[in-house]
Amino acid sequence: MCRMTGNRAWRLDAHPRGEDFASALTLIDLPEPVPAPGQVTITADYLSLDAGTRMWMTPRTDSYQPPIPLGSIVPGQVLGRVIASQADGFAPGDLVRAFGQWADISCVDAATSGLVKLDESVADPLLHLGPLGMNGWTALVGIEEVGRTQPGDTVLVSAAAGATGMLAAQIARILGARAIGIAGGARKCVFLTEDLGLDAAIDHRTPDVAAAVAAAAPGGVNVYFENVGGALLDAVLPNMAHYGRIALCGLVANYAEVQPGPARFDQVLARRLQITGFFSPDFAHRGPELTARLRTWVDKGQLTMPFAVTDGLDNLLTAYAGLFEGTNIGKTVVRVR
Ligand SMILES: NC(=O)c1ccc[n+]([C@@H]2O[C@H](COP(=O)([O-])OP(=O)(O)OC[C@H]3O[C@@H](n4cnc5c(N)ncnc54)[C@H](OP(=O)(O)O)[C@@H]3O)[C@@H](O)[C@H]2O)c1
C-alpha cells in the first residue's frame, strides 16, 4: 500500500446514470502518495480517457474487468514523470506511462501496472497515448490478426473518427485494403475522407445506415472493425461479404447495461461469418514489438491522429462525457499540468 503525504483525484461514489458523471464522481483532495517497495509515484502530464472505463463504472461483474469499487479512485492510463521510485529501473524524472489513476499523482506497482519508460526521441510525447500505445496496439492487432485483412479487402470501421477506429482505418489502408469509416455527422465524415484519406465515409445519423453501407461496399464488407454495436451492427451484418470477419473491439453504444445479441444474428450463418472479441491487455506484453511497427508508419506520416485535449483535471468529466456524445475527433486526453 502507498503511504499518502497533496493530490487531487476523481473518486467514484455512485454508478453513473447515462452520461451524468458529475452526480457520480467527486474530485477529492488526498495527501501526496509515497511509494512503497516495488512502487513508483508519477506526476501526470496527461491522462488518457477511454470509452471502456464506462463499463467498469457499472456494478456488472460479467465484463472483461471487475467493477470499480464505489469509494475508490477511477483507474486510467497516465503519461508523466516519475517523482519517486522504489522500483528497480525507474528513477525520478523518467518519462513513463502506466495504468494509474485519474489524479494529479498516481502511485503504481511497477510489476502490475504496465509501467514502461518511454522513448524520449518521439517528437510528441502524446503519441505514447495514441498510435504508439494501447489504441495503436488494439487497432493493429484487430485489423491484421483478428480481422485477417488482406490487400484488396473492403474494411469497414465504426467510431472511425475516434482514437481506436481512426488508427484501425488507416492501418487497413496501409495494408492495402479499401477503408470505409462510420462516424457521427458531416464534419467527421469530411475529416475521414479529406484529412485521413479514407475511401468513403458513412454518417451513422443518416436514416438508412444499412443502405449507405450497401452503396459504399457493393461487393460486401470483408472485415468489420466494430467499436459500437447496437443498431449499427444490425445495419452492417446483412452487408457482410461471405466468409467475412468481424473484429469485435468495443460496444460503446451501451456500456451501462447488458447488450442483447444482434437482431440480424441469422446473417452469421447465412454469410458464414466469424465474430471475434479481443482485448488489449491480452497482448500488452507484445507492446515493444507492436510499437516498433506502428512507429515506422508514424515516422513516415502514414499513421496520424489529432488529440482532443482538455485542460485541467477539474474539467475531466466534461471531456469524458464527450466520448459518448461524440464531441471528440481523435484521442481524448486531459492535460493535467
Ligand atoms: N478491445 C479493446 O482492447 C479496446 C481497446 C481500446 C478501445 N476499445 C473500444 O474502442 C471503442 C472506441 O473507444 P475509444 O476510447 O478509442 O474512444 P473514441 O473512439 O475516441 O470515442 C468514442 C466514439 O464513439 C462514438 N460513439 C459513442 N456512442 C456512439 C453510439 N451510440 N453510436 C455510434 N457511435 C458512438 C463517438 O463518435 P461518433 O461522433 O462518430 O458517434 C465517439 O467519438 C470503444 O468501444 C472502446 O471500448 C477497445
Side-chain angles (χ1 to χ4, degrees):
M1 287 286 290
C2 289
R3 184 167 57 84
M4 298 288 183
T5 68
N7 189 13
R8 295 168 309 157
W10 282 102
R11 185 181 66 200
L12 184 72
D13 290 329
H15 302 298
R17 298 166 81 91
E19 278 76 64
D20 178 13
F21 297 108
S23 300
L25 288 95
T26 312
L27 187 62
I28 60 167
D29 289 313
L30 291 171
E32 183 176 327
V34 175
Q39 295 183 327
V40 305
T41 48
I42 305 164
T43 181
D45 292 327
Y46 294 95
L47 297 175
S48 165
L49 299 191
D50 298 286
T53 309
R54 177 70 185 84
M55 189 151 46
W56 316 339
M57 292 182 186
T58 73
R60 58 189 294 185
T61 55
D62 59 353
S63 169
Y64 46 37
Q65 291 278 108
I68 301 167
L70 295 183
S72 62
I73 305 305
V74 177
Q77 276 218 326
V78 52
L79 174 76
R81 300 261 170 202
V82 172
I83 305 175
S85 172
Q86 288 235 51
D88 289 344
F90 297 94
D94 285 347
L95 179 69
V96 294
R97 181 185 61 214
F99 208 69
Q101 294 98 32
W102 284 3
D104 291 308
I105 300 170
S106 285
C107 183
V108 303
D109 285 314
T112 58
S113 64
L115 178 69
V116 283
K117 222 156 50 168
L118 296 170
D119 182 350
E120 299 234 27
S121 73
V122 171
D124 180 357
L126 260 183
L127 292 168
H128 293 297
L129 285 187
L132 302 181
M134 185 267 295
N135 297 103
W137 306 342
T138 303
L140 177 54
V141 169
I143 287 292
E144 190 172 56
E145 299 175 24
V146 183
R148 305 196 306 281
T149 298
Q150 302 298 317
D153 276 352
T154 294
V155 174
L156 180 66
V157 179
S158 56
T164 312
M166 168 178 311
L167 295 169
Q170 291 178 87
I171 291 168
R173 285 203 96 235
I174 291 168
L175 297 180
R178 180 166 176 267
I180 305 167
I182 303 176
R187 180 179 71 108
K188 288 191 176 185
C189 288
V190 168
F191 169 81
L192 292 179
T193 51
E194 303 288 316
D195 294 30
L196 284 194
L198 301 194
D199 297 283
I202 296 167
D203 184 349
H204 66 71
R205 297 179 193 150
T206 201
D208 192 344
V209 177
V213 175
V221 174
N222 304 103
V223 179
Y224 180 37
F225 189 102
E226 173 63 304
N227 282 319
V228 173
L232 206 49
L233 180 54
D234 282 324
V236 173
L237 278 168
N239 286 300
M240 292 297 296
H242 283 71
Y243 308 105
R245 286 86 61 196
I246 298 179
L248 183 50
C249 176
L251 295 167
V252 71
N254 189 357
Y255 273 145
E257 294 159 25
V258 172
Q259 281 204 27
R264 298 312 315 274
F265 186 67
D266 58 350
Q267 296 301 295
V268 177
L269 173 61
R271 292 164 193 277
R272 282 80 102 195
L273 305 178
Q274 287 185 5
I275 305 181
T276 308
F278 64 105
F279 184 40
S280 55
D282 294 349
F283 43 84
H285 61 282
R286 294 172 51 201
E289 159 219 333
L290 296 168
T291 303
R293 289 191 59 210
L294 291 156
R295 180 140 186 213
T296 60
W297 296 327
V298 169
D299 286 349
K300 284 188 213 156
Q302 290 176 287
L303 193 58
T304 63
M305 186 156 83
F307 286 82
V309 181
T310 294
D311 275 309
L313 188 63
D314 41 349
N315 294 318
L316 181 147
L317 298 188
T318 308
Y320 195 62
L323 287 174
F324 306 94
E325 293 156 354
T327 52
N328 65 306
I329 291 185
K331 173 75 187 173
T332 300
V333 297
V334 168
R335 182 163 31 217
V336 180
R337 67 180 185 126

